[in-house]
Amino acid sequence: MTVELLCVGTELLLGNIVNTNAAYLAEGCAALGLSCYHQSVVGDNEERLEEAVKLALKRADIVILSGGLGPTKDDITKEVTARAFGRALHEDAHTKERISGYFRHMKTAGVTENNWKQALVPEGAIVVDNHNGTAPGLIIEGEEKTAILLPGPPNELKPMFEEAIAPYLNKLVPEGIYSRMIKLCGIGESKAETMIADLMERQTNPTIAPYAKTGEVHLRVTAKAKNEEEADRLLEPVTKELYRRFGDMIYTEDEKVSLEDVVAALLTDQKLTLTTAESCTGGKLAGRIVNVAGVSGVYSEGYITYSNDAKSRLLGVSSETLEKYGAVSVQTAKEMAEGAARAAVADAALSVTGIAGPDGGTKEKPVGLVYIGCYLKGHTRVEEFHFTGNREKNRDYAVVRALTLLREELLANRG
Amino acid sequence: MTVELLCVGTELLLGNIVNTNAAYLAEGCAALGLSCYHQSVVGDNEERLEEAVKLALKRADIVILSGGLGPTKDDITKEVTARAFGRALHEDAHTKERISGYFRHMKTAGVTENNWKQALVPEGAIVVDNHNGTAPGLIIEGEEKTAILLPGPPNELKPMFEEAIAPYLNKLVPEGIYSRMIKLCGIGESKAETMIADLMERQTNPTIAPYAKTGEVHLRVTAKAKNEEEADRLLEPVTKELYRRFGDMIYTEDEKVSLEDVVAALLTDQKLTLTTAESCTGGKLAGRIVNVAGVSGVYSEGYITYSNDAKSRLLGVSSETLEKYGAVSVQTAKEMAEGAARAAVADAALSVTGIAGPDGGTKEKPVGLVYIGCYLKGHTRVEEFHFTGNREKNRDYAVVRALTLLREELLANRG
């Protein structure tokens, strides 16, 4: 079964935004075992869009369109696709009610007249609720071909694809695709690839594909199988082999579980509380920990101490340490972690101090130098890192390394 | 004059990499005043690539292909395109010498036999030297149509486009493209569009195109003009009209300037310091403020107070307030902001307290309810928001709204 992607939007044609939707959808379709031979981008132009829709429907069994479902009259993806299938548009009461509810809930902004355009759906189409915006997703099933219409904003498209479209597509593929996402922390992508080069070459079912995320490596192990049982039989030996090679670097096999989820779960299991003391990351580490819904059981407060004065006053870092070793030093990172644990009466504390850039670097302490401290029940470990990205990337890497460090300490503490 | 982009690579079709080349080339072509109506991606398959090349050459004056110029037999872009123009390949002595030199310089890796494939060029093609790799760029000028072949790796493609291809294309186009990015906060996309519907319809040069970001709206105003002076003459009246309609909602005209940049600049101008007290955003607001390089002059510390105890202990929120009104209330937001300013001895403070979800909502206080407090020199303003996204989106919206609120207060304070 073949699928083709058609992304609609003048901002893509002008290069104002990078087409991350195409990569996301392509990856999702490949994981489902669908073959994709073409991706295209067209603007919000009726004639060209119609041509593109027809060409895609000629070439592939399923065409996934994204973008152009907004409330303005520039948005014509639905109208043009419905016409290609010979379907009229009618108002969908359920969607109208959902959009009303969306605006009632928002309170600040009223429904404008053009929003009701989004409640129009092609005859016989499957309506997919959008939990993060107003435009519904639509599945138009023709006699031989199917079109799937998704909203353009990635934070609407991605959850909709995951929740509704992937399960829909999965039913269409006779040999299903089953995959596990083996997520690693504390290792670089090249190193990880080198360690499994032989497996990647040898394996055909399941296959192994690595994806680099900031500070993490994810390995997708994918099997083609008739059912879940057969899939498990195929996936299990490869998973075991990966554990043999990477050991504790593997923090989950579950696509939906993040590194912060795992750290929060370890803290909960061990009945430990955590606090944070951040300089260069300036709240990003805490922000990531608070991503975990229900984290309040283990995390109740954190400190952003950007200035030396704040480090001393809030965390009790001694002025002698700051003068002698500087704010970016092993000693300061250690005192920050210990001081934060003391101030918050927490069992564990993470501290981050470094030079994120672009300025502030010296020969001895260059941009990218970051110290991360991890206090756990009376003992503090400090690690030194040298990141090579820009300000934003250096701070993101520091956050992942801090979580990785705490995870290591919590695993050791568990024994 | 029209241009079309055709990116070649199975890794793009599988979604293993994001197509940043397309965005880069599209932006570059738009800046040169070339109209681009189609972008496509195909794999390294001879038949489908040939079809795609022919279709693109039919639709556009110039087709830019990227990828598939490597040394392996999978790489067929050059062979297929040359055939479409009826040109044979011959060995280019200059390129052969350049490739030899490249490998001499690299020292570590020797030339493999298949590298000489990269010295083959179509008859009559313009050869563009690659200063960052082995594959040369190629320009094949037909009687009516032109194909430009570029290597796939971005660190080879980008410098080659800038140094050789953009100047080549520039000679073909009489007019250039100039644009301004007008960024708004404190207004939704539909509302903003409604307010400029007439302009969007009426304007042809310059054009106005809106883009929604989380909590912000960006309007790109683009003019076709012979030079910068003429462009300014065209852009100025439209920019003025947008200021007349949106007033202070416009926070910048500079593509590179963010909301946090503007807030930090206002604080610096007014010689004011800022602190933050975050509950549901848990450090994300501070993390965004610290995005600003050199923010230490105005921001030195912040508090993450996720628990009631932390709100009382660190910020002095009274237990009576927490009991009577709850942690998510106008009163608590007010006391958080005031307490943070007091604790940090700051002139201004932002506080955020809310229910980000997915759990924790009640009928009176549903998921998405967020109070944002802004203390500024003795006065505190608290705003109530109802966000409708998931946990992540609600927290991101709260961060933007907090920055927007502070900006409003700082503008009022400036008088």
Side-chain angles (χ1 to χ4, degrees):
Chain A
M1 190 156 299
T2 58
V3 67
E4 180 159 340
L5 307 181
L6 182 51
C7 301
V8 185
T10 304
E11 68 278 22
L12 290 167
L13 286 182
L14 289 173
N16 294 335
I17 58 172
V18 175
N19 195 354
T20 53
N21 282 346
Y24 173 83
L25 293 170
E27 197 178 346
C29 289
L32 289 164
L34 292 160
S35 300
C36 178
Y37 299 126
H38 294 92
Q39 293 172 5
S40 309
V41 175
V42 279
D44 310 298
N45 170 283
E46 197 153 342
E47 193 184 325
R48 284 187 290 268
L49 178 56
E50 186 166 350
E51 246 175 54
V53 169
K54 284 182 176 166
L55 178 63
L57 285 169
K58 204 172 94 184
R59 293 191 293 213
D61 301 313
I62 301 162
V63 177
I64 302 183
L65 294 104
S66 68
L69 299 182
T72 75
K73 52 179 188 175
D74 273 2
D75 298 297
I76 53 171
T77 302
K78 183 170 60 186
E79 290 72 8
V80 167
T81 312
R83 204 190 307 143
F85 281 82
R87 308 273 179 102
L89 297 175
H90 66 88
E91 191 172 87
D92 182 53
H94 164 74
T95 300
K96 188 165 186 185
E97 177 48 36
R98 191 181 53 74
I99 294 173
S100 301
Y102 183 89
F103 282 98
R104 263 201 311 279
H105 188 74
M106 290 278 278
K107 276 177 185 161
T108 42
V111 186
T112 55
E113 201 43 49
N114 51 13
N115 281 112
W116 299 127
K117 177 170 174 286
Q118 298 187 301
L120 295 174
V121 310
E123 267 169 35
I126 302 171
V127 176
V128 182
D129 281 356
N130 183 345
H131 301 300
N132 300 289
T134 48
L138 296 165
I139 302 177
I140 311 177
E141 295 173 323
E143 273 176 41
E144 288 179 1
K145 308 286 178 137
T146 297
I148 299 174
L149 283 66
L150 301 176
N155 58 358
E156 300 178 25
L157 177 138
K158 290 181 182 183
M160 191 181 282
F161 184 83
E162 229 166 88
E163 289 159 21
I165 307 303
Y168 172 86
L169 292 171
N170 202 25
K171 281 189 205 141
L172 305 178
V173 198
E175 247 202 347
I177 286 281
Y178 299 85
S179 74
R180 291 182 189 174
M181 190 62 108
I182 313 286
K183 297 186 180 179
L184 286 73
C185 59
I187 186 169
E189 196 196 9
S190 324
K191 181 80 193 297
E193 277 203 36
T194 311
M195 282 172 68
I196 53 164
D198 58 322
L199 291 179
M200 285 172 63
E201 187 143 338
R202 206 171 60 208
Q203 291 287 341
T204 51
N205 190 23
T207 55
I208 306 178
Y211 302 97
K213 307 270 161 187
T214 300
E216 301 185 25
V217 177
H218 297 180
L219 303 174
R220 187 186 286 278
V221 187
T222 308
K224 283 198 182 196
K226 282 194 204 71
N227 52 47
E228 199 155 345
E229 216 171 55
E230 189 190 319
D232 280 339
R233 223 169 25 242
L234 288 162
L235 292 168
E236 202 46 40
V238 178
T239 308
K240 265 203 183 130
E241 181 59 26
L242 291 174
Y243 270 99
R244 205 185 60 74
R245 297 187 186 199
F246 294 109
D248 276 348
M249 287 174 191
I250 298 174
Y251 71 82
T252 186
E253 296 174 31
D254 186 339
E255 177 108 49
K256 287 189 183 120
V257 170
S258 66
L259 184 54
E260 55 267 31
D261 288 334
V262 168
V263 167
L266 281 168
L267 288 165
T268 306
D269 286 352
Q270 300 182 27
K271 297 190 173 51
L272 297 173
T273 57
L274 171 70
T275 188
T276 50
E278 301 177 66
S279 188
C280 65
T281 47
K284 274 199 156 184
L285 172 60
R288 180 119 178 223
I289 291 164
V290 176
N291 280 346
V292 182
V295 78
S296 58
V298 294
Y299 185 85
S300 63
E301 65 189 81
Y303 307 86
I304 297 146
T305 54
Y306 208 56
S307 68
N308 282 356
D309 172 58
K311 289 181 185 74
S312 294
R313 191 160 32 79
L314 296 174
L315 308 173
V317 176
S318 78
S319 49
E320 201 193 333
T321 299
L322 289 167
E323 266 164 44
K324 193 166 168 192
Y325 304 104
V328 179
S329 63
V330 180
Q331 292 79 2
T332 297
K334 183 171 185 286
E335 291 187 27
M336 282 173 71
E338 291 170 356
R342 203 166 44 234
V345 198
D347 305 307
L350 280 171
S351 67
V352 186
T353 180
I355 299 154
D359 307 314
T362 62
K363 208 178 164 189
E364 289 75 36
K365 298 189 177 179
V367 166
L369 173 67
V370 175
Y371 291 96
I372 299 177
C374 178
Y375 168 89
L376 183 60
K377 300 204 305 186
H379 171 76
T380 307
R381 179 173 152 202
V382 178
E383 294 276 322
E384 179 179 316
F385 296 92
H386 292 266
F387 303 120
T388 55
N390 57 19
R391 180 178 179 84
E392 196 188 342
K393 217 167 167 184
N394 289 338
R395 295 168 70 220
D396 287 339
Y397 270 106
V399 167
V400 177
R401 291 302 179 188
L403 292 169
T404 303
L405 182 58
L406 174 58
R407 179 173 168 269
E408 282 175 21
E409 294 296 294
L410 289 170
L411 289 180
N413 183 54
R414 193 174 60 179
Chain B
M1 188 155 300
T2 60
V3 67
E4 180 159 340
L5 306 182
L6 181 52
C7 300
V8 185
T10 305
E11 69 278 22
L12 290 167
L13 286 182
L14 289 172
N16 294 336
I17 57 171
V18 175
N19 196 356
T20 52
N21 280 347
Y24 173 82
L25 293 171
E27 203 174 357
C29 289
L32 290 164
L34 290 161
S35 300
C36 177
Y37 299 125
H38 294 92
Q39 293 172 4
S40 309
V41 175
V42 281
D44 309 297
N45 170 283
E46 196 153 342
E47 195 183 326
R48 284 190 289 269
L49 178 56
E50 187 165 351
E51 246 174 57
V53 169
K54 284 180 177 167
L55 178 62
L57 284 169
K58 205 172 94 185
R59 292 192 293 213
D61 300 314
I62 301 163
V63 178
I64 303 183
L65 294 104
S66 67
L69 299 182
T72 76
K73 54 180 183 176
D74 275 1
D75 297 297
I76 52 172
T77 302
K78 184 170 59 188
E79 290 73 7
V80 167
T81 312
R83 204 189 308 143
F85 280 83
R87 308 273 179 102
L89 297 176
H90 66 86
E91 191 172 87
D92 182 54
H94 164 73
T95 300
K96 190 165 185 185
E97 176 47 37
R98 191 182 53 74
I99 294 174
S100 302
Y102 183 88
F103 280 100
R104 267 199 310 277
H105 185 73
M106 290 276 279
K107 281 175 187 163
T108 43
V111 186
T112 57
E113 200 43 51
N114 52 13
N115 280 114
W116 301 128
K117 177 171 176 285
Q118 297 186 301
L120 295 174
V121 309
E123 267 168 35
I126 301 171
V127 176
V128 182
D129 283 355
N130 183 345
H131 302 300
N132 301 286
T134 48
L138 296 164
I139 302 176
I140 311 177
E141 294 174 324
E143 270 175 43
E144 287 180 2
K145 308 285 177 139
T146 298
I148 298 175
L149 283 66
L150 301 175
N155 60 354
E156 299 179 27
L157 177 139
K158 290 181 183 184
M160 191 182 282
F161 184 84
E162 232 164 85
E163 291 160 20
I165 308 303
Y168 172 85
L169 292 171
N170 200 27
K171 283 187 204 143
L172 308 177
V173 212
E175 280 189 329
I177 286 281
Y178 300 84
S179 75
R180 291 182 189 174
M181 189 64 107
I182 312 287
K183 298 188 180 179
L184 285 74
C185 59
I187 186 169
E189 193 196 11
S190 313
K191 181 81 193 297
E193 279 202 32
T194 311
M195 282 172 67
I196 52 165
D198 59 321
L199 289 181
M200 285 172 66
E201 187 143 338
R202 206 170 59 206
Q203 290 289 340
T204 52
N205 189 24
T207 56
I208 305 178
Y211 304 97
K213 307 272 160 184
T214 300
E216 302 186 24
V217 178
H218 297 181
L219 303 174
R220 185 185 286 278
V221 188
T222 308
K224 282 197 183 196
K226 282 195 202 72
N227 51 47
E228 202 157 343
E229 215 171 58
E230 189 190 319
D232 280 339
R233 222 166 27 240
L234 288 162
L235 292 167
E236 203 45 39
V238 178
T239 307
K240 265 203 183 129
E241 181 59 25
L242 291 174
Y243 271 98
R244 205 185 60 74
R245 296 189 186 197
F246 294 109
D248 277 347
M249 288 176 190
I250 298 175
Y251 70 82
T252 187
E253 295 175 32
D254 187 340
E255 177 109 49
K256 287 185 184 125
V257 169
S258 68
L259 185 54
E260 57 266 32
D261 288 334
V262 168
V263 168
L266 282 168
L267 288 165
T268 305
D269 285 352
Q270 299 182 26
K271 296 193 173 49
L272 297 173
T273 58
L274 171 70
T275 188
T276 51
E278 301 177 66
S279 189
C280 65
T281 47
K284 274 198 157 185
L285 172 59
R288 181 118 179 222
I289 292 165
V290 176
N291 279 347
V292 182
V295 78
S296 57
V298 294
Y299 186 85
S300 63
E301 67 190 79
Y303 308 84
I304 297 145
T305 55
Y306 209 56
S307 69
N308 282 357
D309 172 58
K311 289 181 185 73
S312 293
R313 193 160 31 79
L314 296 174
L315 308 174
V317 176
S318 79
S319 48
E320 201 193 333
T321 299
L322 289 167
E323 267 164 42
K324 194 166 169 193
Y325 304 103
V328 179
S329 63
V330 180
Q331 292 79 3
T332 297
K334 182 171 185 290
E335 290 187 27
M336 283 174 72
E338 291 169 357
R342 203 166 44 235
V345 198
D347 306 306
L350 281 170
S351 67
V352 186
T353 180
I355 299 155
D359 308 314
T362 63
K363 209 177 163 191
E364 288 76 35
K365 298 189 176 178
V367 167
L369 173 66
V370 175
Y371 292 96
I372 298 177
C374 178
Y375 168 88
L376 182 60
K377 300 205 302 185
H379 171 75
T380 307
R381 179 174 153 201
V382 178
E383 294 276 321
E384 179 181 318
F385 296 93
H386 293 265
F387 303 120
T388 57
N390 57 19
R391 181 176 178 85
E392 195 189 343
K393 211 169 166 183
N394 289 339
R395 295 168 69 221
D396 287 339
Y397 269 107
V399 167
V400 177
R401 290 300 181 192
L403 291 170
T404 304
L405 181 57
L406 174 57
R407 178 172 169 271
E408 283 174 23
E409 294 297 293
L410 289 171
L411 289 180
N413 183 54
R414 192 173 59 178

